Amino acid sequence: MDNRPAPRRRGNAFYAESARAALGLGGEVHSLADVPLPLVHTALGIAVCAVVAALRPQVVGLGSSVIICGSLALLTALTLTLYDRLVYGRDLRHAVAATCLPVAAIGAFVAVLGGTGDLVLRLPAGLVAALVVGGIPHLGGLRAAGREGTATRLLRDGAGVIVLAPLLLAAYDSSLSTAPSAALAGGSVLLVSADALLTEELHGRVAITGALLIAAIMSGLVYALPAAGRDTVRAGLLLVIWYGLRGLVAALLSHIRRRGLVVEYALFVAVAAGVIAARILRG
């Protein structure tokens, strides 16, 4: 029986493995090719958008459309989560929170369908919704695999702004009464803010708490601002306020607080709020 100790390994692979162990990283490194293309997700998004278009408010009524499409959005989130749990490896599965933005995107498509009959607006809205449903879980898989770069984060942030814009427009520039407008503003801001704050690498509970705070502020503005001033300009300014609040909360709750970022995002909020206040005072 040979009792001699095993020879010590050397070479590039050995040193790379030792470096990963010293940094506390796992031994398995995923490449971009490890995360499958979101073909099934996108097909699901297209199918969902087709059903939403068929059940638009003009066809089945506003109340029925909201209930049916809302249920469909939740079912879509459940389907995406279950599919990824069954198909993807454990280290490549997106978090459940990655379905927040797809749910909001379906709501935004319903808002566009209910607000206009112009195909020039409806078709891009449907395309955006389908791509968000298909693409965001894929980006979540890239995050889980440690392959999320700056471009990916900017793409995700941009998708959040595009999704939230029609929802805020429907909440602050429509014939809805105060309570439904506040509910729409709060719910949509909660979903998009949760996704945005998680993109800022905040912990789950911290991100959800921050999103709840932002949603409470934005829904409270429905009650605070006079209904007479509801228009597209105000909705756009409130989108700027949301962007500033999102950045401000992320900067304040981050482990590394950067005073410059806090001041920058606070200026977004202050300037937009000042313009809204000036418009109200001018009548």
Side-chain angles (χ1 to χ4, degrees):
M1 180 176 179
D2 189 359
N3 293 324
R4 290 179 300 174
R8 300 177 65 183
R9 293 189 300 156
R10 289 293 183 268
N12 293 336
F14 170 76
Y15 290 119
E17 181 179 353
S18 300
R20 288 195 298 269
L23 293 173
L25 302 177
E28 183 179 1
V29 178
H30 298 288
S31 67
L32 189 62
D34 291 332
V35 184
L37 291 175
L39 300 179
V40 175
H41 303 79
T42 305
L44 175 63
I46 294 172
V48 169
C49 289
V51 174
V52 169
L55 300 175
R56 58 189 180 275
Q58 293 88 340
V59 176
V60 299
L62 179 59
S64 299
S65 180
V66 169
I67 293 174
I68 296 173
C69 294
S71 301
L72 181 61
L74 295 177
L75 180 61
T76 300
L78 179 62
T79 302
L80 290 171
T81 301
L82 291 178
Y83 174 80
D84 285 4
R85 292 298 185 274
L86 292 174
V87 175
Y88 284 26
R90 181 181 298 274
D91 296 334
L92 301 177
R93 298 170 185 168
H94 67 76
V96 176
T99 59
C100 288
L101 198 54
V103 171
I106 295 173
F109 187 37
V110 174
V112 173
L113 290 174
T116 179
D118 192 351
L119 288 178
V120 175
L121 296 176
R122 285 183 170 183
L123 289 178
L127 177 62
V128 168
L131 291 177
V132 169
V133 172
I136 294 301
H138 178 69
L139 298 184
L142 293 178
R143 177 186 294 171
R147 306 294 300 182
E148 185 182 47
T150 302
T152 303
R153 295 177 63 184
L154 291 176
L155 180 62
R156 194 179 191 123
D157 280 344
V161 173
I162 294 173
V163 166
L164 187 58
L167 289 168
L168 289 185
L169 185 62
Y172 293 101
D173 181 25
S174 68
S175 58
L176 293 176
S177 59
T178 302
S181 294
L184 176 59
S188 56
V189 167
L190 174 62
L191 291 172
V192 178
S193 299
D195 183 86
L197 293 178
L198 287 170
T199 302
E200 298 291 341
E201 299 182 355
L202 297 179
H203 293 297
R205 292 182 180 179
V206 176
I208 297 301
T209 301
L212 285 170
L213 176 61
I214 299 171
I217 294 173
M218 296 300 294
S219 60
L221 289 176
V222 176
Y223 293 96
L225 297 176
R230 288 187 176 186
D231 56 14
T232 305
V233 176
R234 176 186 286 185
L237 291 170
L238 287 168
L239 181 62
V240 175
I241 288 180
W242 167 80
Y243 182 80
L245 288 174
R246 189 219 70 166
L248 193 59
V249 169
L252 290 174
L253 296 181
S254 176
H255 293 296
I256 304 175
R257 295 184 181 179
R258 299 178 181 177
R259 184 175 301 177
L261 283 178
V262 173
V263 174
E264 177 183 345
Y265 286 117
L267 284 176
F268 273 102
V269 177
V271 171
V275 174
I276 291 176
R279 295 178 76 241
I280 293 175
L281 293 175
R282 289 171 57 184

